[in-house]
Amino acid sequence: MAIDTEKNSYTVIFAVLMVIVVGSLLAFVASGLKPMIDENERFEKQQNILYAMGVNENEGDGDVAFVPTTEVEDEFSKYITQQLVINGSQAEERDNAYLINVEKALASAKSGGEAELPLLIGEKDGEKFYIIPMFGKGLWDAIWGYISVGENMEIKGVYFDHRGETPGLGANIKQRFFMDDFKGESIMDGDTYEGVEVAKGNNDPLNNDKEDNQVDALAGATITGNGVTAMIKESLKLYKPYLQTIRSN
Amino acid sequence: MALLSKKDANLIKDPLADNNPITIQVLGICSALAITAELKASVVMAVSVLFVLGVGNVVISLIRNIIPAKIRIIVQLVVVASLVIIVDQVLKAFAYELSKTLSVFVGLIITNCIIMGRFEAFALGNGPWKSFLDGIGNALGYGVILVIVGFFRELLGSGTLFGMKVLGDPVTKTGLYSIGYENNGFMIIPPAALIVVGIIIWVQRSRNRELIEEA
């Protein structure tokens, strides 16, 4: 079989065929798997939200352990009592508000456009949790998470995640030793919504001081840490009008 | 009868030692720096590259006679990229947790010079079975170095292995830390990987002097 692979016409035909074959193969795989991927992502969101309000399977000081995917839907409807969409200090109930794209919602609200910020209210053991989604950027790519506060604006739990922070350094923001430090800190500094700062050298590595609005930074991950600080602050700023109505109640 | 002929076995053995892609060919250094701060990431990366290089080499070898020489690099890129995307999608659908751990590596695999290097240097000129063995061998050779570097960086930098505190707790001062041992923060930043790789190269060449290039 002698094909002249040097001919220009052959090269062009080969390239065209390759693009068609590979393109349709990828499209076929992607659309075939889409429903399963979407469902996985929905479960993940539910797991993250529940994690932030302390519904998880953590044991001792081991790894992060979510509610299993098989149970997460039931647990989610059990613990999450209200799903709100916030616009300034106005709140409106909406089903599946947790599926709102937080990145777009925050960006739109920040630029003064339409504000449709999701906020979830959960209840566990008679306590109320206000769960605020956050979105920001780390060193390489996006970081996001959920922060849950009680009525007195004390942090009850956080969950952070990232798209591409360095494994072993910035990626550790989703490790328990980092996230657990936030518990008990307040997002208020006196009367202002300061959030919590990821601080280098705050001389409190065990995080015993819960009044300082600081948690200990990760060594080697300064920019990711600053990203977390900024993400909390920026996101809270947009929720402030609504949070104030909770405090004054 | 041996499973592999001697020549075939060498395709796997050589890259593990005297023709290692990282320490001898000096390929794939970038990913060796980026992801070896902990052992788990090293292992995951090694397995991913094993799969992509093994399958990719076979695919390229199968179509080697019909690839137009002028656009062969593009064809190679398309093969790697499609393989990586398909793997990523399948994992997302069926092993979501695993896919989250792996997603960081996807981009790094596509740009890994070992993969393009083996396609170009071996798969384009050899049959599928040989190419498969060559892919596996080189991926293992790459993986071995990654795991060694990851082992030392995580142990000395964080005092852990696979996330387990093997040297005691640095905050509450137990184990080694109670007698004044400290983690070396330098080990967890990327330049430390260069130093560890350098030491491996040094040890390897002093054991086998034939590997030393003439100046």
Side-chain angles (χ1 to χ4, degrees):
Chain A
M1 199 171 63
I3 320 169
D4 183 5
T5 56
E6 291 297 314
K7 261 168 56 185
N8 280 347
S9 57
Y10 177 80
T11 306
V12 171
I13 293 170
F14 186 92
V16 170
L17 283 180
M18 178 180 73
V19 170
I20 294 174
V21 170
V22 172
S24 29
L25 179 71
L26 288 183
F28 177 75
V29 171
S31 58
L33 298 175
K34 185 140 199 315
M36 283 177 263
I37 294 175
D38 283 350
E39 194 178 60
N40 282 333
E41 283 173 353
R42 199 162 53 85
F43 286 158
E44 188 198 5
K45 268 194 167 178
Q46 294 181 336
Q47 284 175 326
N48 293 171
I49 291 167
L50 288 176
Y51 187 92
M53 66 173 285
V55 180
N56 52 47
E57 313 236 309
N58 283 351
E59 275 173 26
D61 57 358
D63 287 334
V64 166
F66 296 115
V67 177
T69 25
T70 44
E71 297 161 25
V72 71
E73 207 131 24
D74 292 337
E75 297 279 297
F76 190 75
S77 45
K78 180 172 141 201
Y79 285 107
I80 301 297
T81 51
Q82 260 184 313
Q83 302 198 26
L84 304 176
V85 175
I86 308 288
N87 183 2
S89 59
Q90 304 295 315
E92 171 196 334
E93 229 170 304
R94 186 180 305 173
D95 286 346
N96 290 332
Y98 76 100
L99 291 176
I100 291 175
N101 183 323
V102 179
E103 179 184 7
K104 285 186 188 145
L106 290 178
S108 160
K110 210 181 278 176
S111 62
E114 197 186 355
E116 285 203 322
L117 305 169
L119 183 138
L120 306 171
I121 301 182
E123 217 170 296
K124 193 178 79 169
D125 306 328
E127 271 185 288
K128 241 180 172 180
F129 292 75
Y130 296 87
I131 304 153
I132 303 161
M134 302 174 291
F135 197 93
K137 58 178 196 293
L139 171 60
W140 303 114
D141 210 326
I143 53 174
W144 60 91
Y146 297 90
I147 188 164
S148 78
V149 294
E151 270 157 356
N152 56 1
M153 300 296 125
E154 182 189 302
I155 296 176
K156 299 195 174 215
V158 293
Y159 183 76
F160 297 122
D161 208 341
H162 63 92
R163 198 168 289 147
E165 297 309 298
T166 321
L169 303 176
N172 282 345
I173 58 170
K174 60 185 291 192
Q175 295 289 326
R176 273 190 65 194
F177 69 85
F178 182 68
M179 297 194 291
D180 284 354
D181 274 0
F182 284 79
K183 280 183 205 161
E185 294 279 350
S186 173
I187 59 170
M188 308 281 304
D189 186 9
D191 255 348
T192 53
Y193 288 80
E194 279 298 317
V196 176
E197 190 194 355
V198 178
K200 290 214 275 186
N202 69 341
N203 291 330
D204 182 22
L206 289 174
N207 199 38
N208 294 319
D209 180 1
K210 296 290 184 188
E211 303 288 314
D212 60 357
N213 290 70
Q214 285 187 335
V215 296
D216 197 31
L218 299 163
T222 309
I223 299 186
T224 310
N226 291 347
V228 171
T229 309
M231 169 174 81
I232 297 175
K233 204 167 171 177
E234 294 295 311
S235 307
L236 283 179
K237 215 187 265 173
L238 299 168
Y239 282 92
K240 186 176 144 189
Y242 177 75
L243 293 175
Q244 257 160 349
T245 64
I246 304 168
R247 283 176 67 220
S248 52
N249 272 350
Chain B
M1 198 184 93
L3 187 62
L4 301 168
S5 71
K6 196 161 180 240
K7 231 170 154 185
D8 285 353
N10 280 343
L11 287 175
I12 294 210
K13 269 191 288 184
D14 274 355
L16 281 173
D18 290 349
N19 197 14
N20 189 284
I22 295 186
T23 61
I24 308 296
Q25 300 170 29
V26 201
L27 292 174
I29 290 283
C30 2
S31 52
L33 298 190
I35 51 100
T36 49
E38 50 186 24
L39 198 48
K40 191 177 141 208
S42 306
V43 173
V44 170
M45 183 66 171
V47 174
S48 315
V49 168
L50 184 73
F51 175 82
V52 174
L53 194 50
V55 178
N57 250 3
V58 172
V59 173
I60 291 289
S61 170
L62 284 173
I63 59 172
R64 69 185 188 280
N65 291 328
I66 59 164
I67 298 177
K70 287 174 200 156
I71 57 166
R72 64 178 197 285
I73 301 279
I74 300 174
V75 176
Q76 291 163 12
L77 268 179
V78 169
V79 170
V80 189
S82 328
L83 273 177
V84 169
I85 293 171
I86 290 174
V87 172
D88 189 48
Q89 293 279 318
V90 170
L91 285 177
K92 264 191 185 144
F94 298 108
Y96 194 69
E97 284 305 305
L98 191 62
S99 85
K100 292 203 62 181
T101 332
L102 281 173
S103 63
V104 190
F105 304 100
V106 170
L108 283 169
I109 293 175
I110 299 177
T111 55
N112 192 321
C113 18
I114 294 176
I115 293 181
M116 295 294 286
R118 291 330 290 170
F119 285 2
E120 184 75 11
F122 198 91
L124 277 177
N126 288 283
W129 173 239
K130 282 206 163 104
S131 300
F132 176 71
L133 294 177
D134 178 76
I136 298 293
N138 275 280
L140 286 176
Y142 168 76
V144 164
I145 301 296
L146 238 58
V147 168
I148 295 174
V149 177
F151 174 84
F152 284 110
R153 285 183 68 194
E154 188 177 347
L155 184 70
L156 300 177
S158 315
T160 58
L161 285 177
F162 286 113
M164 278 183 302
K165 293 181 181 136
V166 287
L167 299 181
D169 192 319
V171 179
T172 52
K173 302 276 176 219
T174 58
L176 260 187
Y177 299 97
S178 59
I179 53 170
Y181 175 80
E182 291 284 347
N183 283 331
N184 183 352
F186 173 68
M187 290 305 284
I188 60 178
I189 59 175
L194 269 187
I195 293 179
V196 179
V197 171
I199 294 174
I200 297 173
I201 292 177
W202 174 34
V203 171
Q204 191 180 11
R205 288 180 200 215
S206 57
R207 283 167 55 106
N208 182 355
R209 306 196 76 85
E210 280 170 27
L211 296 172
I212 302 173
E213 293 98 353
E214 296 293 326

